[in-house]
């Protein structure tokens, strides 16, 4: 995610347009996948024709494709950069989770397309994990937005980094009661 500079007089930074679009697409995909999966999840589709159950499962899977191709792209980029740098970051873990959930959902959708039930007993509906997959992408992007918003707020405070460094240091002093004396940082010299 990239931050746009603060607007004059507002004192606030924000996410760029592509980050907002990725979040909106993930939210729409999550809602669509849940709409298609809602009936089978709560069991109101038990008497429904198998062709309609297959269609619900396949449409649920297809509705998540924009979320995992477009919205999750920052996670893929971060994972690629960290693997190139031989570092294991959270983006690698997220990418592995998305890939596994996608593989299981794809297998369920293909099984539904062929008329199978993907190991579920007949009458329970055709489940796949596409709604969970779209929800995963949406909530991870939402969490990333919250973190960036918090970091942006810290950057706006004038000279906030100076609060992280102390004005005084503890110097060993045998004459002090606890063996240390607080000395202003300006008075510390090498040696």
């Amino acid at each position: 995610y990239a931050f746009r500079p603060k607007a004059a007089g507002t004192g606030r930074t924000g996410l760029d347009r592509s980050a907002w679009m990725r979040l909106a697409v993930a939210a729409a995909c999550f809602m669509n996948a849940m709409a298609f999966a809602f009936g089978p999840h709560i069991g109101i589709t038990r008497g429904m024709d198998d062709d309609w159950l297959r269609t619900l499962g396949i449409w649920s899977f297809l509705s998540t494709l924009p979320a995992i191709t477009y919205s999750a792209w920052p996670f893929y980029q971060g994972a690629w950069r960290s693997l190139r740098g031989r570092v294991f970051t959270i983006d690698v873990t997220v990418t592995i989770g998305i890939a596994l959930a996608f593989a299981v959902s794809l297998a369920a959708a293909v099984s539904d397309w062929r008329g199978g039930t993907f190991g579920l007993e007949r009458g329970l509906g055709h489940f796949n994990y596409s709604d969970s997959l779209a929800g995963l992408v949406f909530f991870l992007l939402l969490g990333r937005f919250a973190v960036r918003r918090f970091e942006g707020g810290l950057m706006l405070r004038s000279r906030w980094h100076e609060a992280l460094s102390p004005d005084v240091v503890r110097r060993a002093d045998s004459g002090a009661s606890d063996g240390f004396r607080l000395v202003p940082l300006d008075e510390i010299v090498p040696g």
Side-chain angles (χ1 to χ4, degrees), residues 48-185:
M48 190 179 279
D49 185 38
D50 279 346
D51 290 336
W52 281 106
L53 290 174
R54 279 190 213 103
T55 303
L56 287 176
I58 291 168
W59 276 105
S60 179
F61 173 74
L62 291 176
S63 66
T64 62
L65 291 179
I68 60 174
T69 56
Y70 173 70
S71 295
W73 190 251
F75 298 116
Y76 306 148
Q77 288 176 321
W80 178 250
R81 278 193 303 269
S82 64
L83 290 176
R84 272 194 336 201
R86 296 185 179 163
V87 178
F88 193 84
T89 63
I90 191 70
D91 287 336
V92 175
T93 307
V94 167
T95 301
I96 290 170
I98 290 171
L100 290 174
F102 175 75
V104 171
S105 293
L106 179 63
V110 168
S111 176
D112 281 348
W113 185 264
R114 292 184 174 179
T117 58
F118 195 59
L120 298 172
E121 71 181 64
R122 190 168 174 79
L124 285 178
H126 297 258
F127 288 101
N128 60 41
Y129 295 100
S130 54
D131 54 334
S132 300
L133 175 59
L136 173 72
V137 172
F138 170 69
F139 286 116
L140 286 170
L141 285 172
L142 193 61
R144 187 172 271 197
F145 165 73
V147 167
R148 297 297 191 259
R149 181 79 183 225
F150 175 73
E151 289 173 349
L154 285 179
M155 285 187 261
L156 291 176
R157 293 191 183 112
S158 63
R159 306 172 69 97
W160 65 272
H161 52 82
E162 291 178 357
L164 299 177
S165 61
D167 294 333
V168 294
V169 294
R170 289 175 35 163
R171 184 169 88 181
D173 187 359
S174 60
S177 62
D178 64 351
F180 293 98
R181 183 170 59 102
L182 295 177
V183 178
L185 193 58

Side-chain angles (χ1 to χ4, degrees), residues 32-48:
N32 281 333
M34 280 304 296
F36 289 118
F38 185 71
H41 277 305
I42 63 171
I44 62 173
T45 59
R46 289 183 191 248
M48 190 179 279

